[in-house]
Amino acid sequence: MTDIRPAFIDGKPKQLLIGGRFVDPVAGERFASTSPSTGEHVADIALAGEEDVDRAVAAARAALDGPWSRFTPAERQAVLLRLADLVDAEFDDLALLDCIEMGRPITASRGLRSMVLRVIRHIAGQATAIHGETLGNSFPGTELMSFTLREPIGVVGAIIPWNGPLFSAAWKIAPALAAGCTVVLKPAEDASLSPLRFGQLCLEAGVPEGVVNIVTGMGATGAALASHPGIDKISFTGSCETGQKIIAMSAGTVKRVTMELGGKSPNIIFADADLDLAVPASAIGVFNNSGQVCAAGTRLFVERPVYDEVVARIAAFAGALKVGPSLDPETQVGPLVSAKQYARVASFLDEGPREGARLVTGGARLTEGALANGHFVAPTVFADVGDDMRIAREEIFGPVASIMPFDGFDEAVDRANATRFGLAGGVWTRDITKALAAVKRIKAGTVWVNHYFAMDPAVPFGGYKMSGFGREGGFEHVENYLNTKAVWVRTS
Ligand code: NAI
Ligand code: MG
């Protein structure tokens, strides 16, 4: 397929990481991972069944009470910092795994180095900052001191999507380790390799066996994890529909859950905005990673006086993007991850004009030349989109912008909020008062002003409304993996 195969793609079937060893699945089942750029076979991956999930949960449970429980915060921090160094040293190969398996263009995959390392190192810092509180109480009659202890929540089931596999593995595993938890991670079926290799690097960094387990497989593998009585907490990133199922499954044993679900984020360009900033950033806010980003700003509201100009400039930007195989360093927009996502996105491309939207650019599957065997669609701009059209309501998860005109501030924020989602939003204006008024009105977990997509592990990220609950990033990230125990002590 390519002459720059990373060492981890070695032609051997990939096994499950359970109890510190790579093992075959009990039933011996496997599935094929293929390149979305070329359709070529990448690797055979172990398909974990219920018995394998049982084994992984048992290993994680045993490890929770093993040597890991005696690691000091500083020792957990040291392990995480070593892990970051190993990821740094091997980053080009890790980036290649995601590039080949899920199709993020190589230049963009390599560009994530700083973010992934910042995540692990920031969270490592938090391992030694975990603390409870002393709380004055007014209990009558007896003098009692009261304080809190923070304890690891236990065995964490982490279920991640395919749109940022290495990042997501780090984003789930690092805070669990900082908190002293153990983990069973279920990668998405379209992107198993970098999470598997990341799990192996955890072992090399000194994480004891059984603390990090990786069970590859399909949705049923995730469901076995989400309903498992031995799991204390589920941390999920993915679609709203699957998140709802996991919440329902968690009820059986009242698991803690955090949910980072989808979005249909509004991005509002006012007429007084600096369009030289707003246009490229808003376009990248849709087309980055072929639109396969939870926070993508896919509903673009543009104030009437600059509407025609912005539509034309976004369309020109989209039309100039280089679509190509993910291994080509020139490629800016790679394939969609799978045949399933290709069919889904293509159906929206067909539906937009039927619903009455005006196709300005793109709108088609790309099947010529080097793209013939991949899942490619053209970066697409629909203008004059109605708020009730499906392309304006559903998370397309493809390189598709829906642009609509508006008149006035109130109309913009009301329409921006008219969605069941609330993950993120953008505002473009030179007027600070208008910007902050919009920030207050937009019902979303993140609002960018004169920017789009900034993310940092020090800053919380997560949803309002049906985009989920719980925050990752910021202090809450590690907090989500801790229990609080209140302690009362008689002092006289
Ligand atoms: P998905 O939510 O079904 O998959 C995410 C993860 O959940 C994968 O690891 C999958 O194996 C697992 N999973 C699937 N069914 C499960 C179940 N019943 N119990 C437990 N785990 C289960 O998303 P999918 O099918 O890959 O993509 C469909 C749509 O979801 C996309 O078009 C997009 O709109 C949205 N999505 C949103 C993401 C985000 O970051 N917000 C990420 C991925 C998908
Ligand atoms: Mg694939």
Side-chain angles (χ1 to χ4, degrees):
M1 171 180 60
T2 159
D3 44 6
I4 49 169
R5 264 175 197 256
F8 197 63
I9 300 180
D10 54 7
K12 296 186 194 134
K14 292 298 156 193
Q15 298 171 293
L16 309 170
L17 182 59
I18 296 178
R21 272 171 295 281
F22 277 111
V23 297
D24 284 324
V26 170
E29 288 187 75
R30 299 205 166 83
F31 62 98
S33 172
T34 55
S35 155
S37 296
T38 63
E40 286 167 282
H41 180 265
V42 175
D44 286 327
I45 312 276
L47 177 59
E50 279 181 28
E51 280 178 273
D52 300 302
V53 171
D54 278 346
R55 283 195 299 166
V57 173
R61 178 63 54 192
L64 192 64
D65 301 322
W68 184 235
S69 65
R70 293 182 291 280
F71 272 51
T72 64
E75 287 168 338
R76 296 200 303 272
Q77 178 177 64
V79 162
L80 282 165
L81 291 173
R82 264 198 308 276
L83 174 63
D85 290 345
L86 292 174
V87 169
D88 191 13
E90 205 178 303
F91 197 84
D92 283 348
D93 263 18
L94 289 163
L96 264 178
L97 293 177
D98 284 354
C99 170
I100 292 169
E101 197 184 17
M102 60 69 65
R104 187 194 291 270
I106 187 61
T107 307
S109 289
R110 292 208 168 120
L112 284 176
R113 177 192 292 265
S114 153
M115 180 62 182
V116 171
L117 295 176
R118 277 191 347 262
V119 164
I120 304 170
R121 290 183 175 135
H122 173 82
I123 291 170
Q126 305 229 323
T128 53
I130 294 167
H131 58 278
E133 297 173 301
T134 57
L135 302 139
N137 68 73
S138 308
F139 188 82
T142 313
E143 263 185 45
L144 293 165
M145 181 189 287
S146 43
F147 61 92
T148 58
L149 295 176
R150 310 307 308 276
E151 298 176 339
I153 217 162
V155 178
V156 174
I159 302 175
I160 59 172
W162 39 262
N163 53 336
L166 177 65
F167 168 81
S168 296
W171 197 233
K172 301 292 188 202
I173 290 175
L177 296 182
C181 293
T182 62
V183 188
V184 181
L185 177 97
K186 211 298 274 178
E189 49 272 40
D190 292 312
S192 309
L193 294 176
S194 69
L196 275 174
R197 180 64 187 136
F198 186 83
Q200 207 176 17
L201 291 177
C202 289
L203 287 169
E204 287 176 30
V207 175
E209 61 182 38
V211 173
V212 173
N213 307 275
I214 316 277
V215 288
T216 46
M218 304 288 160
T221 309
L225 202 54
S227 55
H228 201 290
I231 294 282
D232 298 300
K233 176 198 165 81
I234 291 283
S235 178
F236 175 71
T237 301
S239 66
C240 191
E241 292 67 26
T242 298
Q244 288 172 306
K245 288 183 199 158
I246 291 174
I247 292 168
M249 284 186 270
S250 75
T253 54
V254 192
K255 292 177 181 45
R256 278 62 184 151
V257 285
T258 47
M259 291 279 144
E260 202 266 85
L261 308 176
K264 189 75 186 176
S265 296
N267 186 17
I268 304 171
I269 301 181
F270 287 101
D272 67 346
D274 180 342
L275 296 185
D276 292 341
L277 283 180
V279 166
S282 299
I284 292 165
V286 177
F287 302 122
N288 178 38
N289 206 24
S290 303
Q292 303 170 126
V293 181
C294 51
T298 48
R299 284 187 303 139
L300 199 48
F301 294 97
V302 183
E303 203 164 14
R304 187 93 53 190
V306 294
Y307 178 71
D308 289 337
E309 180 185 352
V310 170
V311 168
R313 289 175 67 175
I314 297 265
F317 190 101
L321 287 168
K322 188 162 184 326
V323 181
S326 58
L327 280 167
D328 182 344
E330 304 281 299
T331 292
Q332 292 168 301
V333 175
L336 298 166
V337 69
S338 63
K340 176 183 137 186
Q341 289 303 109
Y342 185 49
R344 177 186 157 94
V345 172
S347 79
F348 281 105
L349 296 182
D350 298 340
E351 188 168 349
R354 278 207 304 271
E355 288 186 296
R358 173 162 62 92
L359 177 67
V360 189
T361 188
R365 301 155 181 80
L366 298 176
T367 54
E368 298 290 307
L371 309 186
N373 298 316
H375 310 307
F376 295 93
V377 299
T380 296
V381 174
F382 287 118
D384 309 344
V385 175
D387 294 354
D388 293 335
M389 296 179 189
R390 278 190 66 239
I391 56 169
R393 286 187 289 111
E394 302 296 322
E395 183 175 49
I396 298 176
F397 237 55
V400 185
S402 292
I403 313 188
M404 24 248 188
F406 71 86
D407 299 287
F409 180 88
D410 285 326
E411 183 189 322
V413 290
D414 287 345
R415 289 172 60 195
N417 285 332
T419 166
R420 67 185 195 277
F421 294 118
L423 193 57
V427 181
W428 298 85
T429 173
R430 287 187 167 96
D431 178 342
I432 184 71
T433 306
K434 197 195 290 180
L436 288 174
V439 165
K440 284 174 73 174
R441 288 270 296 275
I442 292 173
K443 291 182 172 53
T446 293
V447 183
W448 291 287
V449 176
N450 296 333
H451 201 281
Y452 207 89
F453 269 157
M455 258 188 97
D456 189 85
V459 181
F461 182 82
Y464 277 31
K465 302 197 278 185
M466 289 180 76
S467 291
F469 49 84
R471 290 293 176 271
E472 296 176 295
F475 289 107
E476 281 174 76
H477 202 168
V478 174
E479 297 265 312
N480 281 328
Y481 294 87
L482 295 167
N483 266 329
T484 300
K485 178 181 283 173
V487 184
W488 295 81
V489 184
R490 185 189 291 268
T491 54
S492 72

